[in-house]
Amino acid sequence: MFTTSRRAFFKAAAAGAVVPVFQIPLLASEADAGAVEPSLGSYSFAIGEFQVTMLCDGVFILPTDSFATNVQPEVKKPYFDAHYLAPDNVRLQANPLLIDTGQKRILVDAGLAPGTKWAAHAGRLSKSLAAAGVDPGSVDTVFLTHCHADHIGGLISDPTGQFPKADLVLSETELDLWNSPDYASKLPDWAAAGAPATQKVFAALGDRLHPIKGGADVATGVTAVETPGHTQGHMSLLVDSLADQLLITGDALANIHFSFDHPEWQIKWDHDQEKGVKTRKALLDRAASERLLVVGYHYPFPGVGHVVKEGMGYRWLPAVWIFDG
Ligand SMILES: [Zn+2]
């Protein structure tokens, strides 16, 4: 898969062709990796009596100028250079996850639609579920942190059949936002383009849709936390079993570098950029002071770690992998 796109990229570049902005150029070290289909798609760990499985949906890129939009170039450029964030595009992984409480199986976010033109290396959720030995028919609930295309995309082609017995749970604010006949006045232009497909998912699911408020339990030990800003109805989850807790932050903390060092740096993809900053700071403070284990949707896989207070900001500390059996 990678070999084909690598050849196409270099061929196009050599011919002086314009390479689409969302095509992923590989690093020099990856050019030697060969045509091996990545097999690693899941990573499981325990939270008390629950099992949590991180599922790799793949990787896509977004333009660098969509991040740190309120920062002067003379500050932004050296920071991005120092953190190996390319000047033209930033790579993001997409990591849905499955919580198995023993009573319920809850999928958190559904990845991108397979075959998405601007994200050819994403949309792998069904493969990662298979690699983890999870039958999609055994999923009781799909919870969406919000309705951007990289979170609801995996439901679009077959909303009722992808997870045939699952209910869809999301914030009532988020449902109203995307389902409104007046969505175009409430969403940024780039997001509004995805609303018709999102409305089709809602319509197909009918009474399997369950809007909730912040503080509601998605299942016993899995509680919704309102974290607005990225979207008006964005929700995080707090998972709590025995003495263990896990905070699932969705896109409230989008990047392991600048979201932690500079939570005040705004990003284009937050519908309300000032509220995004406020929510980010509050989440970071909570995670650090309560010493919570945290997962982020767009972090290098598996995206599990802790938040440490450092200087004026915070630092992401990836957790050590634990291998069972
Ligand atoms: Zn996202």
Side-chain angles (χ1 to χ4, degrees):
M1 175 171 85
F2 286 139
T3 298
T4 307
S5 62
R6 184 169 71 238
R7 280 191 191 132
F9 172 74
F10 285 121
K11 207 170 149 190
V18 175
V19 177
V21 68
F22 289 123
Q23 186 163 357
I24 300 182
L26 298 182
L27 299 172
S29 57
E30 292 167 319
D32 300 324
V36 179
E37 176 79 11
S39 58
L40 189 67
S42 68
Y43 168 63
S44 296
F45 58 99
I47 293 293
E49 292 179 317
F50 299 172
Q51 188 180 46
V52 176
T53 301
M54 304 300 302
L55 299 155
C56 179
D57 186 65
V59 60
F60 63 103
I61 61 178
L62 290 173
T64 302
D65 64 9
S66 63
F67 299 98
T69 53
N70 58 337
V71 182
Q72 293 300 314
E74 59 269 28
V75 174
K76 177 177 171 178
K77 188 178 183 313
Y79 179 90
F80 274 54
D81 284 349
H83 291 82
Y84 289 85
L85 296 164
D88 51 353
N89 56 63
V90 170
R91 291 177 173 204
L92 296 92
Q93 290 204 229
N95 300 322
L97 62 90
L98 187 81
I99 306 164
D100 189 340
T101 70
Q103 309 294 320
K104 294 276 182 193
R105 283 185 160 182
I106 303 151
L107 178 72
V108 181
D109 288 328
L112 288 89
T116 300
K117 269 189 186 164
W118 52 271
H121 301 293
R124 298 174 49 86
L125 175 60
S126 57
K127 289 181 185 172
S128 293
L129 279 168
V134 176
D135 172 7
S138 72
V139 174
D140 300 288
T141 302
V142 175
F143 174 83
L144 294 179
T145 56
H146 64 295
C147 293
H148 286 161
D150 54 321
H151 296 254
I152 196 175
L155 301 179
I156 283 172
S157 68
D158 186 8
T160 54
Q162 188 74 26
F163 300 100
K165 75 167 194 189
D167 290 334
L168 181 66
V169 177
L170 77 170
S171 136
E172 65 177 18
T173 305
E174 192 73 1
L175 177 62
D176 291 346
L177 173 69
W178 293 84
N179 228 6
S180 165
D182 193 21
Y183 67 83
S185 70
K186 300 176 180 177
L187 293 167
D189 289 348
W190 59 265
T198 301
Q199 291 188 354
K200 278 186 192 163
V201 171
F202 295 155
L205 286 166
D207 60 7
R208 285 164 61 182
L209 266 183
H210 294 283
I212 58 168
K213 293 181 191 298
D217 282 350
V218 177
T220 302
V222 182
T223 306
V225 181
E226 285 180 342
T227 45
H230 187 63
T231 64
Q232 290 88 324
H234 186 283
M235 275 183 166
S236 301
L237 288 176
L238 187 67
V239 182
D240 195 330
S241 175
L242 301 178
D244 292 347
Q245 287 189 315
L246 173 71
L247 182 64
I248 298 167
T249 60
D251 282 9
L253 298 167
N255 180 273
I256 61 163
H257 300 302
F258 50 79
S259 298
F260 288 78
D261 285 334
H262 295 289
E264 75 281 10
W265 286 6
Q266 297 180 359
I267 65 174
K268 172 184 170 179
W269 314 109
D270 285 353
H271 293 191
D272 183 335
Q273 300 188 0
E274 286 180 13
K275 199 174 272 183
V277 168
K278 213 171 151 189
T279 291
R280 212 151 36 240
K281 288 179 174 174
L283 267 181
L284 288 164
D285 181 63
R286 179 175 183 184
S289 60
E290 296 181 22
R291 297 177 67 85
L292 295 172
L293 189 64
V294 170
V295 298
Y297 189 75
H298 289 304
Y299 300 173
F301 190 79
V304 185
H306 291 95
V307 179
V308 183
K309 183 96 182 80
E310 189 170 77
M312 299 293 286
Y314 298 83
R315 181 160 56 92
W316 173 247
L317 198 64
V320 173
W321 285 43
I322 298 167
F323 297 90
D324 290 331

